[in-house]
Amino acid sequence: MATGRIIKAIGGFYSVDDGSKVWQCRARGVFRKKGITPLVGDWVEFEPVGTDEGVVTEVAPRQNSLVRPPIANVEQAVLVFSLREPDFSTLLADKFLVHVEQAGLEALIVLTKADLVDDEEEIDAVRRLYETPGYPVVATSTVTGRGLEEVAARLKDRVSVLAGQSGAGKSSLLNALVPELKLPTGAISKKLGRGRHTTRHVELIRLPDGGFVADTPGFSQLDFGDIASTELAACFPEIRRAAEGCRFRGCLHVREPDCAVRAAADTGAIPPSRYRHYLAFLTEIREREARRY
Ligand SMILES: Nc1nc2c(ncn2[C@@H]2O[C@H](COP(=O)(O)OP(=O)(O)O)[C@@H](O)[C@H]2O)c(=O)[nH]1
Ligand SMILES: [Mg+2]
Ligand SMILES: [Zn+2]
């Protein structure tokens, strides 16, 4: 009996990485009966057949699993935002962060294209903004090499999924971390068309220093579809903490009396933009809930 991690799944075939080599496995029929589909990211037991094939016999309990992309045991979301082309948007960043929190993942914010920014203070301001909720921020450039070592260190020995809008620099960043990858970037990747990419299987890419990154972007839909208005505050760590001081348990931190969140936003202890985005997302979610009931 051997153990490993599924790094690729195509049509009932699973590539299982045992730490030193990759085995081509099928899954035992019992999984189908039990309603278990092995996922990329799963830790499994398998029975070797010959020198490089095998049969998956056991799937270890999952820490978590994402639906899109379908991956198990992801630990970290790497949110990739460009500082320029397009400009950094705190609204977009906060939207992604809510989805990361909802999925129960840790977040790492990677700012790309730092070579296009003249004023270093702009980067420091983003770093300070996300210190309050507690998200690490790394400024990078694939042109100058800035920040790449720190990103590699933060990805080491973990399973991460990249997220971020098209053009943010995700493929460029992956190419810089894993040189033999040679993913298409920029104009070339757009020319290849979406169809090819959206129908692709999910695969975990092994990082040179250890750890894996999913090769498909996570959180492609940012519509708050599965977040309830009562759950939103918990997706902002600094609001979640401040809410312990609110007078009412069900406080939504809008206009309720003795709201500790609103008080903290007034003093700046909660960054004003974060509180503003909380209110904007809350409105969006409540409108959806009103339509539904
Ligand atoms: N100046 C500069 N341009 C970059 C950097 N990273 C990516 N780009 C450019 O940004 C565009 C989009 O990059 P790409 O990696 O394809 O983004 P993706 O859509 O998120 O995968 C391409 O034209 C890249 O050459 C960077 O650090 N500095
Ligand atoms: Mg890309
Ligand atoms: Zn409150």
Side-chain angles (χ1 to χ4, degrees), residues 114-115 120 123 127 138-149:
D115 56 287
E120 197 61 28
I123 293 169
R127 192 174 287 120
V138 185
T140 67
S141 166
T142 52
V143 174
T144 65
R146 173 175 177 176
L148 298 177
E149 274 183 25

Side-chain angles (χ1 to χ4, degrees), residues 1-2 23 25 46-55:
M1 194 64 62
W23 300 74
C25 298
F46 64 98
E47 261 163 36
V49 179
T51 52
D52 48 15
E53 290 179 18
V55 179

Side-chain angles (χ1 to χ4, degrees), residues 243 246-248 251-254 256 258-262:
C246 292
R247 180 160 142 202
F248 298 105
C251 189
L252 286 176
H253 326 300
V254 184
E256 295 89 339
D258 297 327
C259 171
V261 170
R262 216 154 28 107

Side-chain angles (χ1 to χ4, degrees), residues 55-110:
V55 179
V56 174
T57 54
E58 204 73 56
V59 176
R62 289 170 189 148
Q63 254 171 46
N64 62 28
S65 61
L66 299 181
V67 177
R68 210 183 306 227
I71 308 183
N73 303 317
V74 182
E75 302 169 78
Q76 164 170 263
V78 179
L79 300 181
V80 180
F81 302 112
S82 52
L83 287 155
R84 290 284 182 280
E85 300 177 6
D87 285 353
F88 180 73
S89 153
T90 58
L91 180 71
L92 187 69
D94 289 341
K95 201 168 248 198
F96 269 103
L97 286 163
V98 164
H99 284 80
V100 172
E101 291 288 340
Q102 169 78 2
L105 306 181
E106 289 180 40
L108 168 66
I109 297 175
V110 172

